[in-house]
Amino acid sequence: MLNLEKSAAAFAEAKNLMPGGVNSPVRSYRNVDCTPPFIERAEGSHIYDIDGNEYIDYVGSWGPMVVGHAHPQVVKALQEAAVRGTSYGAPTLLESQLAKLVMEVYPSIEIIRMVNSGTEATMSAIRVARGFTGRSKIVKFIGCYHGHSDSLLVKAGSGLATFGVPDSPGVTKGTASDTIAIPYNNREAFAEVMDKYGDEIACVIVEPVAGNMGLVLPQPGYLDLLRSLTREKGALLIFDEVMCGFRASLGGAQKAYAVKPDLTCLGKIIGGGLPVAAYGGRADVMNCVAPAGPVYQAGTLSGNPLAMTAGLETLKIITAEPEPGEPDYSRVLTIKTKKLVLGVAAKAKEAGVPLQVQQAGSMFGFFFNDHEVVDYETSAASNQEAFKIWFIAMLEQGIYLAPSQFETLFMSGAHTDEDIDRTVEAAGVALKKVSKIY
């Protein structure tokens, strides 16, 4: 049994200080009926809680820790930057350096604007799309999460493709009414919407590799369909690659699937663990943004020197030229991830547990499901009780996973073969426990 006595006391105190005791909902561990470990420090592929427990970490701060925690190169650069001041609210060379490096990897981005969070990036990209097109309506996909701005916190109404209704108190019906929510990977629904409302739609925003209903991959040709029909109707296509950027491949999903969006939202990795995100794309569209154009968006801490430093050093590591004959950083992560997911899949087969395994580069996920997971509906049909047993059993063995079947897991360059082997063995033990409910 895992000792979380100090964490339990810390959580009890936190509940009197913050809503639910946390500053982001999933951290509360409500889905798994477990006390969340309070983390004290992290290094490489491991994190350590205040109770003295050590874990192999596959959450990676929800994606950004692609080079591992406290990477010496990133830490050294941050220490040097902090001595020069933590924020200026003024232009720096660091902003341009990071922008150029991002653009080298993402040629679809001709002009970029740095912000502080993925929510800011997606909210701003949609505002720009509306300003550029002069249209109001947007299309999103059920199960794709684009931050907590009002127009994106919607759920689908009845029917195959419907205007959204508020998914949270505080979001007005008027705000949600311009958002059309349709099932992910459903070609019929998308074609129907574009045929009926295409001339009114400012943009279509999508996680090209969905990471917030668990990891769900686009079906063959689906992203091409989004591209062709948005172009035909004069709507902008926005790829939210906050999560899958630099993960699905070094160049993200747009590189992996050879589809060029009009705008791209990035985050996570470009901050190297600090709060950074960005949106960018076609020059004619981005030149609508103030002060170059009339669409207003600003941020006091955008381009913060510490955040730019962490992101820049992280990208330098993952974009570095490999030694002759060696795979590049992204390929190494993909190979490690494949080893892990195939190992866990084999253990599930041995235990007689139905498990769907998904991978996109260094992103991966598991669904306790007999059927292929292609959208939110099939993801939600997965066995939540099985997941809870699996999660607790893995945590007790020192494997730190996301406390929800609807979250994605991540590999880092710091994970070793020993980490992966230990994780696969732990999975075998956990899956035997899960098998008892089947």
Side-chain angles (χ1 to χ4, degrees):
M1 194 71 178
L2 191 65
N3 177 17
L4 291 173
E5 184 177 349
K6 291 181 179 178
S7 291
F11 192 39
E13 179 185 31
K15 287 178 182 177
N16 295 320
L17 304 171
M18 293 166 274
V22 293
N23 283 313
S24 191
V26 76
R27 300 177 193 175
S28 70
Y29 278 45
R30 289 182 67 179
N31 289 329
V32 290
D33 297 330
C34 174
T35 294
F38 272 52
I39 305 306
E40 185 173 62
R41 64 185 182 89
E43 182 179 0
S45 61
H46 290 227
I47 57 175
Y48 306 81
D49 69 23
I50 61 176
D51 291 282
N53 300 305
E54 177 181 354
Y55 310 90
I56 301 172
D57 177 25
Y58 292 102
V59 177
S61 191
W62 308 96
M65 311 314 298
V66 66
V67 298
H69 294 283
H71 190 286
Q73 181 175 327
V74 178
V75 171
K76 182 175 184 291
L78 278 172
Q79 290 171 333
E80 293 171 353
V83 173
R84 296 191 294 269
T86 57
S87 182
Y88 314 134
T92 69
L93 292 176
L94 290 167
E95 294 166 276
S96 295
Q97 291 168 7
L98 182 57
K100 286 189 285 188
L101 190 48
V102 170
M103 289 176 185
E104 287 176 13
V105 182
Y106 284 81
S108 70
I109 299 178
E110 298 170 346
I111 295 180
I112 193 168
R113 169 60 64 84
M114 300 294 175
V115 292
N116 297 297
S117 69
T119 292
E120 281 186 63
T122 55
M123 175 182 69
S124 302
I126 288 170
R127 182 182 301 163
V128 171
R130 283 172 163 154
F132 180 79
T133 63
R135 303 172 179 180
S136 299
K137 292 180 173 55
I138 68 172
V139 175
K140 75 175 292 287
F141 298 87
I142 301 165
C144 288
Y145 176 71
H146 306 289
H148 58 269
S149 60
D150 285 3
S151 63
L152 293 169
L153 279 183
V154 303
K155 59 185 175 182
S158 60
L160 184 63
T162 61
F163 286 98
V165 294
D167 201 25
S168 169
V171 178
T172 66
K173 292 181 180 179
T175 298
S177 66
D178 279 331
T179 300
I180 304 172
I182 62 178
Y184 184 73
N185 270 329
N186 189 312
R187 301 172 69 94
E188 178 188 350
F190 184 68
E192 176 185 308
V193 163
M194 296 307 290
D195 181 61
K196 188 173 183 180
Y197 301 106
D199 294 339
E200 303 173 60
I201 292 170
C203 64
V204 173
I205 185 167
V206 64
E207 285 186 281
V209 171
N212 287 283
M213 48 181 141
L215 181 63
V216 180
L217 308 181
Q219 294 190 316
Y222 189 67
L223 298 179
D224 296 285
L225 177 68
L226 303 191
R227 176 66 285 179
S228 63
L229 292 187
T230 49
R231 185 176 286 128
E232 178 184 317
K233 295 294 185 178
L236 299 187
L237 178 60
I238 303 174
F239 272 10
D240 177 354
E241 298 218 40
V242 167
M243 186 174 288
C244 64
F246 303 94
R247 285 281 187 184
S249 74
L250 180 61
Q254 57 196 261
K255 175 71 172 179
Y257 294 95
V259 176
K260 183 179 180 181
D262 299 299
L263 292 174
T264 299
C265 299
L266 295 171
K268 307 290 187 183
I269 286 172
I270 67 166
L274 273 68
V276 182
Y279 65 99
R282 285 168 39 188
D284 59 332
V285 177
M286 288 300 295
N287 278 329
C288 291
V289 180
V295 178
Y296 193 74
Q297 180 268 313
T300 299
L301 292 177
S302 297
N304 175 279
L306 293 185
M308 295 296 97
T309 295
L312 187 58
E313 294 303 318
T314 297
L315 290 192
K316 285 179 181 178
I317 294 168
I318 67 174
T319 60
E321 284 291 325
E323 294 294 325
E326 295 295 321
D328 62 24
Y329 204 96
S330 180
R331 181 61 182 156
V332 169
L333 292 188
T334 299
I335 293 168
K336 289 182 179 183
T337 308
K338 179 65 71 176
K339 179 182 178 181
L340 176 59
V341 298
L342 289 179
V344 173
K347 293 294 184 182
K349 187 174 182 180
E350 289 176 12
V353 173
L355 189 72
Q356 299 296 317
V357 176
Q358 301 271 42
Q359 178 188 359
S362 58
M363 304 167 69
F364 63 102
F366 306 110
F367 298 94
F368 292 93
N369 200 319
D370 289 308
H371 304 290
E372 182 184 9
V373 176
V374 297
D375 56 17
Y376 180 75
E377 184 178 359
T378 49
S379 173
S382 300
N383 190 321
Q384 300 304 314
E385 182 60 28
F387 176 82
K388 187 185 299 184
I389 295 169
W390 150 264
F391 174 83
I392 296 296
M394 292 295 275
L395 191 69
E396 289 176 343
Q397 294 177 88
I399 310 299
Y400 191 79
L401 306 175
S404 169
Q405 196 162 210
F406 301 111
E407 298 290 346
T408 294
L409 304 171
F410 303 93
M411 185 66 68
S412 82
H415 284 91
T416 64
D417 286 339
E418 182 182 353
D419 289 332
I420 294 169
D421 290 342
R422 180 178 153 195
T423 302
V424 171
E425 289 306 309
V429 173
L431 288 163
K432 287 180 181 177
K433 294 184 178 180
V434 172
S435 69
K436 296 178 181 178
I437 70 169
Y438 282 96

